[in-house]
Amino acid sequence: MKISLLMATYNGEKYIVEQLKSIYNQTVNPDEVLIADDVSNDRTVELIEKFIEQHDLKNWKLMINSSNKGYKKNFYDLIQQATGDVIFLSDQDDVWEKNKIELMTNELEKNAKIKSINAAVKFVDSRLNPLEVKLKPDFYNENLLHHKGKLGFLTNIPLASIIVANITPGCAMCFSKDIKDEFLETYDFTLPHDWHLNLLASIHGGCFFMNKILVNYRVHENNAIGTTAKNNLKKYILNYNRKGRSEEARRLLVTLNKLRMTYDFKDKDSIRAIKYIESRYNFYKRPSFVKYMKMKNFDEYNHTTNKKGRLCDLLAVTGITDLAFRIVKN
């Protein structure tokens, strides 16, 4: 089984070497490593070139984009060039456990049904010190995955769950070449690329979660997933961006509606999940008490929204949250 590893970089000089080392030191090495730099203006390219030269890595290829593409287009182009049977995605600032590629590839080789595997992550600070995350009831993977009951080592994640939310960052996933062409044909750059890949995998019944921490995921201002300080009211208010939440739901619905034109989304749980996203979109676009109660009646809302979030949603009906957002933002 040929293994491709894809890394998109941009101004990552601070941590890039640590991640390159964690890839180089894997118990199973990738057959090809494709790195695309998105016109960094720091020493990222220099450090990658030096690492490749020092370790004589003939199967590692560094490409420098002619213009800044953004992470979605950068990863899309990398996936287009990948030739592996299994494809791993990598960020520039994490550190992988040594057996990440080995464990995930072994599972994919054993079961042809698997289209994507999402490993667990551990949130760490800039110095790789673990961050304390208090898990909510029925949540796993730093509160990214909602699942009732105990997880096994490998758990099939239904489409309905992926519709509501992605379950892990892209740097923790790998996927089979079986869905590569489908991704290239259907991706509209609306959702993050990894979420779209997991949607495709789950449509085929092949999206799995591996309940083992294989990625130390640095949490800082520059990455897509972060944690809000528990007692930082300003950050919490900024995180509650009603218009932003409405736009997120709208983008998700755009992608889901396009996919439904090609694939069968007729199971009742998936239909319910889509209706929940529609309810979220309608509420955050123009809040009202009736819309709030309709959204609140979905199990998905109660599973994924804490007490503070529910209070903010209720206050959104009065316009208080919008006023607070404007004050804090300015």
Side-chain angles (χ1 to χ4, degrees):
M1 179 174 279
K2 184 175 182 180
I3 301 169
S4 295
L5 188 147
L6 313 178
M7 177 187 287
T9 63
Y10 178 71
N11 288 349
E13 65 176 5
K14 194 170 183 180
Y15 306 115
I16 187 70
V17 174
E18 282 184 282
Q19 173 61 335
L20 296 176
K21 286 180 179 177
S22 78
I23 293 170
Y24 177 75
N25 290 324
Q26 289 291 301
T27 54
V28 169
N29 298 123
D31 296 286
E32 69 175 2
V33 175
L34 304 178
I35 306 172
D37 185 78
D38 211 16
V39 198
S40 293
N41 52 31
D42 64 359
R43 295 177 60 237
T44 299
V45 169
E46 176 189 339
L47 292 171
I48 297 171
E49 289 175 336
K50 184 178 179 181
F51 189 89
I52 292 174
E53 182 180 353
Q54 284 179 336
H55 296 85
D56 194 27
L57 298 170
K58 305 296 186 185
N59 61 328
W60 288 39
K61 181 181 179 183
L62 170 63
M63 299 161 285
I64 303 172
N65 299 336
S66 58
S67 60
N68 185 275
K69 299 177 179 180
Y71 78 93
K72 293 177 185 176
K73 184 66 165 66
N74 207 8
F75 269 114
Y76 179 90
D77 290 347
L78 281 166
I79 291 170
Q80 200 167 34
Q81 297 176 65
T83 61
D85 301 300
V86 55
I87 300 169
F88 285 81
L89 305 177
S90 173
D91 289 342
Q92 64 187 7
D93 50 5
D94 306 313
V95 173
W96 289 7
E97 296 298 326
K98 288 186 177 182
N99 58 348
K100 178 178 185 287
I101 292 178
E102 179 180 6
L103 285 179
M104 297 177 77
T105 303
N106 285 347
E107 293 299 324
L108 210 147
E109 281 184 317
K110 288 190 296 185
N111 188 347
K113 182 182 178 181
I114 297 175
K115 305 304 177 187
S116 73
I117 299 179
N118 300 262
V121 301
K122 180 59 188 174
F123 287 166
V124 297
D125 64 17
S126 60
R127 297 183 179 180
L128 299 178
N129 297 311
L131 296 176
E132 182 183 352
V133 177
K134 185 177 180 180
L135 290 178
K136 297 182 285 188
D138 295 324
F139 270 83
Y140 296 85
N141 198 31
E142 306 291 49
N143 289 323
L144 296 174
L145 171 62
H146 176 264
H147 181 82
K148 287 189 174 181
K150 290 187 177 181
L151 288 173
F153 177 68
L154 204 64
T155 302
N156 191 307
I157 305 299
L159 173 59
S161 293
I162 302 297
I163 287 172
V164 173
N166 202 7
I167 57 176
T168 205
C171 60
M173 80 177 297
C174 70
F175 60 95
S176 164
K177 69 176 181 180
D178 295 346
I179 60 171
K180 172 187 168 180
D181 289 340
E182 291 182 43
F183 172 78
L184 295 174
E185 290 172 8
T186 62
Y187 190 49
D188 57 3
F189 303 94
T190 302
L191 295 179
H193 57 286
D194 49 313
W195 194 353
H196 194 103
L197 284 162
N198 274 331
L199 279 170
L200 292 175
S202 61
I203 285 170
H204 295 295
C207 179
F208 285 78
F209 177 74
M210 181 179 283
N211 192 24
K212 185 172 180 61
I213 296 172
L214 295 177
V215 176
N216 294 292
Y217 184 89
R218 276 194 174 95
V219 176
H220 51 75
E221 293 179 356
N222 296 326
N223 55 21
I225 296 177
T227 56
T228 303
K230 291 181 180 178
N231 299 315
N232 192 320
L233 181 59
K234 180 178 179 180
K235 283 188 177 181
Y236 193 88
I237 291 172
L238 286 173
N239 188 54
Y240 189 87
N241 178 356
R242 178 181 63 79
K243 292 182 179 179
R245 292 184 179 203
S246 174
E247 177 60 18
E248 281 180 9
R250 186 196 68 79
R251 290 198 302 264
L252 177 55
L253 289 171
V254 166
T255 294
L256 292 173
N257 288 333
K258 287 181 179 178
L259 290 176
R260 291 175 76 184
M261 295 174 67
T262 304
Y263 302 99
D264 183 7
F265 278 42
K266 292 182 179 179
D267 68 282
K268 63 178 183 179
D269 291 335
S270 296
I271 296 299
R272 179 181 175 86
I274 292 171
K275 288 182 177 179
Y276 167 62
I277 300 301
E278 290 173 346
S279 177
R280 281 180 61 87
Y281 169 66
N282 290 329
F283 173 78
Y284 288 120
K285 183 180 180 183
R286 193 169 289 110
S288 72
F289 185 73
V290 172
K291 291 177 182 177
Y292 171 75
M293 292 305 298
K294 184 176 181 180
M295 181 174 66
K296 189 174 179 292
N297 283 334
F298 283 92
D299 289 340
E300 290 83 352
Y301 180 79
N302 296 312
H303 293 156
T304 58
T305 310
N306 58 27
K307 291 180 181 178
K308 193 179 291 186
R310 293 175 204 173
L311 176 60
C312 284
D313 286 342
L314 191 55
L315 291 174
V317 175
T318 69
I320 290 175
T321 54
D322 283 3
L323 177 61
F325 180 82
R326 288 196 298 271
I327 292 172
V328 171
K329 189 176 180 182
N330 295 329

